[in-house]
Each structure stands twice: as C-alpha cells, then as structure tokens.
Amino acid sequence: MSVALNRAVRYGIRNYLRAAGILLLVMLLIPLALWVMLAMLGGSGSNFNGYSLSVGVFGFVLGMVGIRENLRMLNQNGVSRRTAFLAEIVSQAVVAVLVALGTTAVLAVYRALPGLMARVEVSDVYQLLYEGADMGPAGYLRTAVFSAAMAFSLAGVGQFWSVLYWRLSKFWTVIVSIAIPLVLIFGPAAVLTAVGDTPAGEAIVRVLAALGRFFIGSVWNAALVFLAVAAVSFALSWLLVRRAVIRGAK
C-alpha cells in the first residue's frame, strides 16, 4: 500500500470509527431497554432481530455521507482523486467488517444470557434465512460475514446515489427524486403487467426465482450477490467521480 493510500485509508477509518462506536452502543442498549421496560410493566415478552439490518443501514448511510467530504479533504491535502476514491472503498470495507464483528459479538453475548432471553428473545434476520434458532461459533461467524457483506454492498449503493446527486443539476435532481419512488412503487407491477403471460414474462419470473433460490441457498451465495452489487455500484460511482468538480473542504 502506498504512503498516500495508507494515509487516506487511516483518515477515512478514523472518521467512521466514532459512528461505528455509537451504533454498537445502541445495539447494546436496545435489548437492555426492552428488558427493563418489560420488567417494569410486567409484559410477557418481546424480541429484537435487527442486528444485520442495522449494520446494512449503517453502511448505506456512511456511503452517502462520507464520499463527498472525504474526497474534498483528501484532494485538498494532495491525495489524488483515484487514491482518495480507492481509500474510501477500503475504509468502507474495514468499517463494515468491524461493525459486523461487533454487533455479532453483542448478539452472541445476549443469546448466552438465559435471564435476558426469557423476556427478550434476541436473534437476527440471518437466523431466519439460514440457521434457525440454534447457532454455534461457526454460525456467528457466518452471521458476521452476512452483515459485513450487506453493509459493504449498501455502502456502495449509498455512495452511488450520493455521487449521482452531486453531479446532477437542480432540475434533474428534482426529476430523479420524483421518479425514483414512482419507479419503485409502480415499475415492477407495470413491467409484469405489460409482459403478462408472454415468453418474456415467464423468463423474467424464472430469472427472479433462480436469483432468489441462489441467494437463499447459502450465506456465501448471499455474500457473492452483495459483493457483485457493491462492485457495480462503486464502478458507477467512479465513472461519476472522475469528472466531478471537487472544491476545497470548508
């Protein structure tokens, strides 16, 4: 790793560690807060299974908010655009792994406390998809892989949308902002209605079903899907970033 890249990566990771610490603290406190509330109110029980999803949302937010400021600051301090962008990807990957390991450790500790689990059942969406109720050390490791891959993937998606809005004019920003929810809400139904029972429609259904079976087949398949989405997102982001006007950080 070159000196410039090493310096840029350390800068990016240092910026993100405080946010990662806050997320881990929140993930630690939520089950405790639920347990205290149930103990005081006498509730029969509750559950919390949002660890992987929280890590994914965390990655998406970091991808959106980090790229512009980091590029400005690093470029202002003599780091090339390409090196700064690569450092951002490495930083996102490192933080995704660290946060995934941290939240998985919190999950494992809480599931080992029978007194807590009697009132608040702590689990994860990964268990619902792949493992079931009982998990050993290898299962927790796979949970961390799933969470880290999801966070890195969504970081790439968030970065792409952030950079896209960075490059768009005010007019196209408004158009895209209106079009996105409309496409997400009505687009799939419109496409399926248009193709109907035609061979094209049957082909779309078969492809989607095959992708779903592949994703559910194993956590490693899911990680490959997440990494493919990340690769496409980061590549599109670079195509936009390489010609963006980068002004000095304030």
Side-chain angles (χ1 to χ4, degrees):
M1 185 182 295
S2 68
V3 175
L5 180 58
N6 181 56
R7 184 178 60 177
V9 168
R10 285 190 286 109
Y11 173 80
I13 293 175
R14 186 169 62 248
N15 281 349
Y16 293 148
L17 283 182
R18 181 177 299 179
I22 294 173
L23 175 69
L24 291 176
L25 180 61
V26 171
M27 292 297 99
L28 179 66
L29 293 178
I30 288 177
L32 287 177
L34 290 174
W35 187 88
V36 171
M37 183 178 66
L38 291 173
M40 294 176 61
L41 300 178
S44 59
S46 181
N47 63 77
F48 178 71
N49 61 2
Y51 284 96
S52 291
L53 294 178
S54 298
V55 175
V57 173
F58 176 77
F60 180 77
V61 172
L62 284 193
M64 289 193 67
V65 304
I67 181 66
R68 301 188 197 183
E69 187 63 26
N70 287 347
L71 280 177
R72 290 190 183 108
M73 183 61 69
L74 292 171
N75 192 246
Q76 185 175 316
N77 285 273
V79 179
S80 70
R81 186 179 308 224
R82 185 186 299 272
T83 299
F85 185 80
L86 179 58
E88 182 68 13
I89 296 176
V90 175
S91 300
Q92 293 283 359
V94 171
V95 173
V97 171
L98 291 177
V99 173
L101 290 174
T103 54
T104 303
V106 173
L107 171 66
V109 169
Y110 275 144
R111 288 187 60 80
L113 300 176
L116 180 88
M117 291 291 288
R119 286 186 179 272
V120 180
E121 183 179 355
V122 181
S123 60
D124 190 77
V125 66
Y126 168 80
Q127 291 176 259
L128 302 178
L129 294 175
Y130 299 103
E131 292 282 344
D134 298 325
M135 287 201 309
Y140 287 115
L141 179 60
R142 290 190 289 269
T143 302
V145 170
F146 181 82
S147 298
M150 181 193 298
F152 185 61
S153 174
L154 291 178
V157 174
Q159 183 186 100
F160 166 73
W161 285 109
S162 179
V163 174
L164 178 63
Y165 275 95
W166 189 12
R167 293 295 310 276
L168 290 175
S169 65
K170 291 183 179 180
F171 172 78
W172 283 109
T173 296
V174 174
I175 295 299
V176 170
S177 299
I178 295 173
I180 289 173
L182 293 178
V183 170
L184 291 177
I185 295 172
F186 301 109
V191 171
L192 291 177
T193 301
V195 296
D197 295 330
T198 64
E202 295 177 359
I204 292 174
V205 172
R206 286 197 299 269
V207 169
L208 292 177
L211 180 60
R213 288 193 298 269
F214 179 79
F215 187 89
I216 296 297
S218 76
V219 65
W220 308 111
N221 293 353
L224 286 175
V225 173
F226 284 137
L227 292 178
V229 172
V232 172
S233 299
F234 284 123
L236 293 175
S237 295
W238 170 245
L239 293 177
L240 294 170
V241 163
R242 66 178 183 171
R243 295 188 180 277
V245 177
I246 301 178
R247 298 181 175 88
K250 298 180 180 179

